[in-house]
Amino acid sequence: MNEPENTGFSRRQFLGASLAVGTTAAAGGMGIGMYSQAVQADKKEAQSPHVPPGELDEYYGFWSGGQSGEVRIVGVPSMRLLMSIPVFNRDSGTGWGLTNESKRILGDSLKWQNGDTHHIHMSYTAGKYDGRYLFVNDKANTRVARIRCDVMKTDKITIIPNVSCIHGLRLQKAPKTGYVFANGEMIIPQPNDGRDLDKPENYWTLFSALNAETMEVAWQVIVDGNLDNVDTDYTGRFAFSTCYNSERGVVLADMMRAERDWVVVFDIPRIEAAIKEGKATTIGESKVPVLDGRAKAAMNITAYIPIPKNPHGCNTSPDGKYVMANGKLSPTVSVIEIAKLADLMDGKLKDPRETVIAEPELGLGPLHTTFDGRGNAYTSLFLDSQVVKWGIEDSIKAYRGEKVNYIRQKIDIHYQIGHLKATMAESSGADGKWLVALCKFSKDRFLNVGPLRAENDQLIDISGDEMKLVHDGPTIPEPHDCIMVHRDIVKPLRVWKRDDPYFAETVALAKKDGVTLESESKVIREGNQVRVYMTSMAPVFGLTEFKVKKGDEVTVTITNLDTVEDLAHGFVLVNHGICMEVSPQMTSSVTFIADRPGVHWYYCVWFCHALHMEMSGRMLVEA
Ligand code: CUK
Ligand code: CUA
Ligand code: CA
């Protein structure tokens, strides 16, 4: 075992008072590895991230895409980008935001073209990833989306009422994912209808629970302070949220005033019981039941545990014993013992701080923590640009006064790390093989591409005693978080099933028109509405031409009859701003106005056949 020295403490004293302003002022400035700690090289050679041609990655990585608004699938350990899944953004190739199928899912979201995905998580059964769904937040437009893992398409988007910015997002882990928990970050007047504009003392935010199956908001809880990140326990009873703005300030200086903010504990069964007992109200026009979880309401559905200072990440250990609140402006991570929370809720503890059983000093700017399933935690240090590996049980001993060194190793990363994640780490199946460090700055690590740069997702081998950096992975700004799930758990389809709900409504409309999509191509006119049904099979569309009149509302529905894996077609209508994906056995449709007379070509946009260039046709628009 390595015995590195813990130099973190003296460094903290050295920087002392400037700590509070550090995070905001020094972004991009400090921490390029001046304080790297040497560990005795461990004899085990680093695992190779190289996946030879023709072989497959061991893990599916699911990356939030940040302000790109999308989700990405990355192969790990090769770090090859495999696919992007449009969610809150618009997508030129698949037609996400253009097709009728995507418009139905976007619903009221169609009016917004951007999103900001931070936290992505996979549904659980009994604490283990179950490969059914992914859920992701949109900080920018206060939404939560669900992605179906069988087809890797977004299938539900919900706008959350009464809050501004959904930031933290986590799932109930047991017995299976019933609720999706979503943190409202910013505080606003309630209801936010123009009242109290200049009265921040009347601003509040809420914690939201969505039903994972229906994606409807089941209930909300109004809280003191604000809400940053969230995690849950492994029994299904508790959720925990960090709060950096206990001061309920509206400017930075106010948000940093207190030495401690807190973690809010939510007792889910008690919240459900209180709603059943009719204790909920509603806010404004929303019909969602709202409970008052503020301390002064004394409803006994929440508890507030003081934590230093402006804490950020919130991470439950895979054994279900602890939840870590990452100090950000404090060099510490606070370790809360989950077994003590029942007593806390029952009022049996004198001081909620009794639930904190360790507070290791780790370095500057601790943001997030991940786990290897072997008792070690790994915390990202934004200001130090390091990952610190530490022993959880040793940190507990040290807190009790025993003389133990809980720091195992610090490794430099490049640079300014936010989230970090180990393989399978947010499930009881944490396997401690790889760790990804999502670095906000790449600076000199890649070719200069101008003022806007890629970020750097670094791959670290954590399978041995020593962390070893093995790969730099450029990534388009800016994923905040990722999860890595073993490939045995994720089982996507190879071709669509004809009865898929994704296009069921389109199929039903065709049925009303008496059209059998799987074999027929025809044009149906009803007034100035024209419905064009055609098949596609490499290298031909079922119709090589169709005729409409200027001003007609035209719906083109295409069904891909090919059953060959990977044989997608696409439909582009030239100079009409239309493109859509039609993957094997999929039906896609798009509606537009034929506003210009003339000959307008359409063509297939996926290279599907030697005669792909010839896969085209004409829309003839009469004046
Ligand atoms: S937050 Cu971005 S680095 Cu939105 Cu999870 Cu910490
Ligand atoms: Cu069909 Cu190219
Ligand atoms: Ca604060």
Side-chain angles (χ1 to χ4, degrees), residues 244-247 255-256 258 261 310:
Y244 62 80
N245 190 10
S246 63
E247 304 88 345
M255 297 179 194
M256 299 200 304
D261 297 281
N310 286 33

Side-chain angles (χ1 to χ4, degrees), residues 131-200:
R132 289 182 300 142
Y133 295 118
L134 294 160
F135 298 88
V136 68
N137 74 302
D138 171 20
K139 173 162 169 165
N141 293 309
T142 309
R143 289 175 288 184
V144 175
R146 183 173 77 183
I147 293 164
R148 277 173 53 191
C149 294
D150 58 345
V151 288
M152 295 300 174
K153 298 282 185 199
T154 305
D155 84 322
K156 295 262 187 198
I157 294 179
T158 302
I159 303 172
I160 313 297
N162 304 327
V163 290
S164 173
C165 292
I166 291 298
H167 187 235
L169 176 136
R170 290 291 176 127
L171 314 175
Q172 207 173 23
K173 298 191 179 87
K176 68 176 209 170
T177 296
Y179 288 125
V180 178
F181 298 115
N183 278 351
E185 183 180 353
M186 310 302 186
I187 51 174
I188 50 172
Q190 298 292 347
N192 194 20
D193 56 2
R195 74 183 67 193
D196 293 340
L197 295 181
D198 291 322
K199 288 191 187 145

Side-chain angles (χ1 to χ4, degrees), residues 44 47 59 318 370-376 378 389 421-427 429-435 460-466 484:
K44 187 175 170 289
Q47 308 178 85
Y59 298 91
T370 192
F371 307 93
D372 62 10
R374 299 189 295 269
N376 299 302
Y378 301 76
K389 175 181 176 182
K421 195 59 57 74
T423 42
M424 301 287 288
E426 265 151 13
S427 73
D431 65 6
K433 275 204 182 168
W434 299 102
L435 181 147
I460 296 170
D461 176 4
I462 57 165
S463 62
D465 286 339
E466 190 190 356
M484 286 163 281

